[in-house]
Amino acid sequence: MDSVFFIKLVQFILSISLLVLLHEGGHFFFSKLFGVKVDKFFIFFDVGIGKWSGKIFKWKPKNSDTEYGMGWLPLGGYCKIAGMIDESFDTEQMKQPPQPYEFRTKPTWQRLLIMIGGVLVNFLLALFIYSMVLFYWGDSYIQTRDMTMGMKFNTEAKKLGFKDGDILLGTDKKTFTKFDVDVYRSLSTAQRADIIRDGKEMSINLPGDLNLLDMLKAQPTFVQPFIPAEIDSILDDTPAAKAGMAKGDKILAINGHNVDSWNEYLDEIGKINDVMTVKATPADSLKARQVSIVFQHHDTKACDTIKTTLTPDLKLGTVMTNIFSYYKETNKEYGFFESFPAGIKYGLGVLRGYVDDLKYVFTSEGAKSLGGFGAIGSLFPAQWDWMMFWRMTAFLSIILAFMNILPIPALDGGHVLFLLYEMITGRKPSENFMIRAEYVGFGILILLMIVANLNDILRWLGYM
């Protein structure tokens, strides 16, 4: 198994298992608090196949009403609460006379807390993780103002008035600090962008309705920090190593096109990738991978032109220099108590950005951008990095909390919606209605999951 794939897989499984365990633990806590019996507490679903129960393991403590275990299907987990219509579709239990230890006999406010328990735990967990990350590691970034070589802009950005080398300061919406996705979000809705050009501050008028998805998916993207095309290191047994390239050398051109940055180099590699996707035979693909590269030696300043063949995944074997090598780094440390308001502010910002971006899901391009397990797993770093692992886990925890509170039957939000209806009208939805709603909601979730994971497969095959 490829080591990068294995590292990403282990991080993904560990993160999801932790989040599911604590989410279901939220339901479990409030159930026990209000004296509701919990029949089963499972991480992942134990869907049976033939005579196999679908359980990887199970355990029931002595004198306990609850069976604990792990299923084989990693689509979440569940806490089977007595007297409740849920994803287990246990209708036989609902035909029996109501019992005082059942969910259905408890006051509405208690049932509501039981249902939001999982979402509450995930949301608070995300804020806690962000706070502890800031406390332990602090925050290191480069302010956009300190990116003194400026940014590289694509054709669409230049049509709006930007020029390569402009330094982004902010918009009429906000002042920029670090360069992240919030820069794109702000530019997409702004009427004005503030920049430094040739040492002078000035402003550029913007339309206010740029498509964020188009800005991010464009090749090259709307804007990226300028990073010189200097080589940090060379990987062994690669085209670059065989060509005699070395640390400190600078790439000047590829296939006759001048490049002054890694931004432009990656753009040229992207063009080769586009050519390869339409090549019909291995011989055609091999020809597309054959490139001419001009580079300058770091010691003699002499230039060499080499002809070489990129690897099948279009790698030369060079490691890019880090952006922190060129610009002043800002480091901010947080005391224990300082980290909590900072972590809460950061987490709320992540949630706000995620909610704002959901409008793009309802477009054709947005639907194509949906990702399943593969897309989520790919977000984890290729090398084990605890800070990145915990940041990613916090991000997934926020997503899990938000998605679960959506008013879709079979999700916590669907149950909350029906409970609010009951609190307002004083009438419970019928059990037949709840069962049908659960089936509909579960069907919607399965459909979304199929679409998202099918997108992963199509991207892997090169069709998207």
Side-chain angles (χ1 to χ4, degrees):
M1 183 184 292
D2 180 76
S3 61
V4 171
F5 174 80
F6 179 74
I7 290 171
K8 287 176 176 280
L9 178 64
V10 171
Q11 290 180 91
F12 171 71
I13 292 175
L14 179 59
S15 178
I16 291 297
S17 298
L18 175 65
L19 295 180
V20 169
L21 175 67
L22 293 177
H23 177 91
E24 299 304 328
H27 296 307
F28 184 88
F29 170 79
F30 283 105
S31 296
K32 290 295 186 181
L33 181 65
F34 300 130
V36 176
K37 178 183 174 184
V38 177
D39 295 322
K40 294 174 70 174
F41 184 93
F42 265 64
I43 299 177
F44 305 152
F45 292 117
D46 56 332
V47 179
I49 301 176
K51 294 183 178 180
W52 184 47
S53 66
K55 299 177 176 65
I56 294 177
F57 75 84
K58 62 179 181 178
W59 172 60
K60 189 170 185 179
K62 188 176 181 181
N63 301 323
S64 173
D65 295 322
T66 307
E67 178 186 43
Y68 302 88
M70 175 180 283
W72 67 274
L73 189 61
L75 302 183
Y78 71 99
C79 185
K80 188 177 182 303
I81 299 170
M84 174 183 168
I85 297 171
D86 58 12
E87 59 268 31
S88 68
F89 299 109
D90 185 1
T91 57
E92 290 302 316
Q93 185 184 61
M94 303 302 293
K95 295 177 182 177
Q96 306 302 318
Q99 301 297 322
Y101 56 77
E102 289 185 331
F103 177 83
R104 55 180 164 170
T105 62
K106 298 300 179 180
T108 312
W109 68 271
Q110 291 186 5
R111 285 181 280 142
L112 184 64
L113 284 174
I114 290 171
M115 291 317 307
I116 66 173
V119 168
L120 184 62
V121 166
N122 279 133
F123 183 63
L124 294 178
L125 173 68
L127 300 182
F128 178 75
I129 291 175
Y130 281 132
S131 299
M132 290 300 96
V133 167
L134 291 175
F135 169 65
Y136 190 81
W137 285 285
D139 197 9
S140 298
Y141 57 91
I142 298 168
Q143 296 190 54
T144 59
R145 177 181 284 275
D146 292 332
M147 294 179 181
T148 51
M149 287 185 277
M151 284 82 177
K152 297 287 288 187
F153 296 86
N154 70 4
T155 303
E156 294 305 313
K158 289 175 180 177
K159 288 179 181 177
L160 296 171
F162 291 104
K163 291 184 178 180
D164 287 340
D166 287 349
I167 302 171
L168 288 172
L169 299 178
T171 67
D172 55 303
K173 303 285 185 179
K174 64 177 293 185
T175 299
F176 298 150
T177 50
K178 63 184 72 174
F179 189 96
D180 56 17
V181 71
D182 283 338
V183 169
Y184 291 90
R185 288 194 184 106
S186 184
L187 290 171
S188 69
T189 58
Q191 301 287 336
R192 186 194 78 240
D194 301 322
I195 63 170
I196 296 176
R197 179 181 293 171
D198 299 327
K200 298 179 180 179
E201 292 193 13
M202 59 178 293
S203 298
I204 294 173
N205 293 326
L206 295 178
D209 60 352
L210 297 174
N211 186 291
L212 176 62
L213 204 58
D214 289 343
M215 294 171 71
L216 292 169
K217 292 188 68 175
Q219 292 298 326
T221 54
F222 189 87
V223 58
Q224 282 291 326
F226 179 93
I227 306 176
E230 295 177 350
I231 298 171
D232 178 76
S233 58
I234 300 293
L235 302 178
D236 294 335
D237 196 29
T238 60
K242 294 173 184 177
M245 301 178 80
K247 176 182 175 65
D249 291 352
K250 182 182 293 186
I251 297 177
L252 303 178
I254 178 170
N255 284 344
H257 299 282
N258 292 335
V259 299
D260 63 357
S261 62
W262 285 115
N263 314 70
E264 290 186 343
Y265 174 83
L266 293 175
D267 294 344
E268 294 301 322
I269 294 297
K271 294 175 184 177
I272 297 171
N273 184 61
D274 292 340
V275 172
M276 283 187 59
T277 58
V278 298
K279 292 300 181 182
T281 67
D284 289 336
S285 296
L286 178 63
K287 185 177 179 180
R289 286 162 42 208
Q290 295 171 351
V291 298
S292 172
I293 293 179
V294 180
F295 70 99
Q296 183 182 59
H297 293 280
H298 67 286
D299 47 3
T300 64
K301 303 303 180 184
C303 296
D304 270 343
T305 300
I306 60 169
K307 293 186 182 297
T308 188
T309 302
L310 301 176
T311 63
D313 57 350
L314 301 182
K315 294 294 191 292
L316 178 62
T318 56
V319 176
M320 293 169 48
T321 44
N322 194 295
I323 189 172
F324 289 98
S325 305
Y326 301 101
Y327 305 116
K328 184 181 77 172
E329 184 178 356
T330 296
N331 296 293
K332 192 167 185 180
E333 296 183 354
Y334 294 88
F336 182 75
F337 294 106
E338 286 180 303
S339 67
F340 288 100
I344 291 170
K345 181 180 178 181
Y346 186 89
L348 292 176
V350 170
L351 176 62
R352 183 167 52 251
Y354 179 74
V355 173
D356 287 345
D357 295 346
L358 277 181
K359 60 188 175 188
Y360 295 104
V361 172
F362 302 102
T363 65
S364 59
E365 284 300 311
K368 291 178 183 177
S369 69
L370 286 174
F373 299 128
I376 296 172
S378 68
L379 297 175
F380 286 93
Q383 295 179 325
W384 198 281
D385 183 324
W386 279 111
M387 184 181 73
M388 293 303 298
F389 169 81
W390 286 116
R391 279 186 178 273
M392 190 62 211
T393 298
F395 177 64
L396 292 179
S397 194
I398 279 184
I399 292 177
L400 186 60
F402 180 78
M403 295 301 292
N404 262 284
I405 205 61
L406 292 176
I408 299 174
L411 291 178
D412 296 342
H415 292 283
V416 169
L417 178 65
F418 297 136
L419 284 168
L420 291 176
Y421 169 82
E422 181 183 340
M423 293 176 76
I424 294 170
T425 65
R427 298 193 302 270
K428 280 187 180 183
S430 71
E431 289 183 4
N432 284 336
F433 172 81
M434 293 293 289
I435 291 170
R436 292 194 201 99
E438 196 76 13
Y439 275 114
V440 170
F442 202 73
I444 292 173
L445 296 180
I446 293 297
L447 179 62
L448 286 173
M449 202 161 293
I450 290 172
V451 171
N453 286 284
L454 181 60
N455 283 349
D456 285 352
I457 295 172
L458 292 175
R459 277 190 284 266
W460 181 65
L461 293 175
Y463 290 107
M464 288 182 64

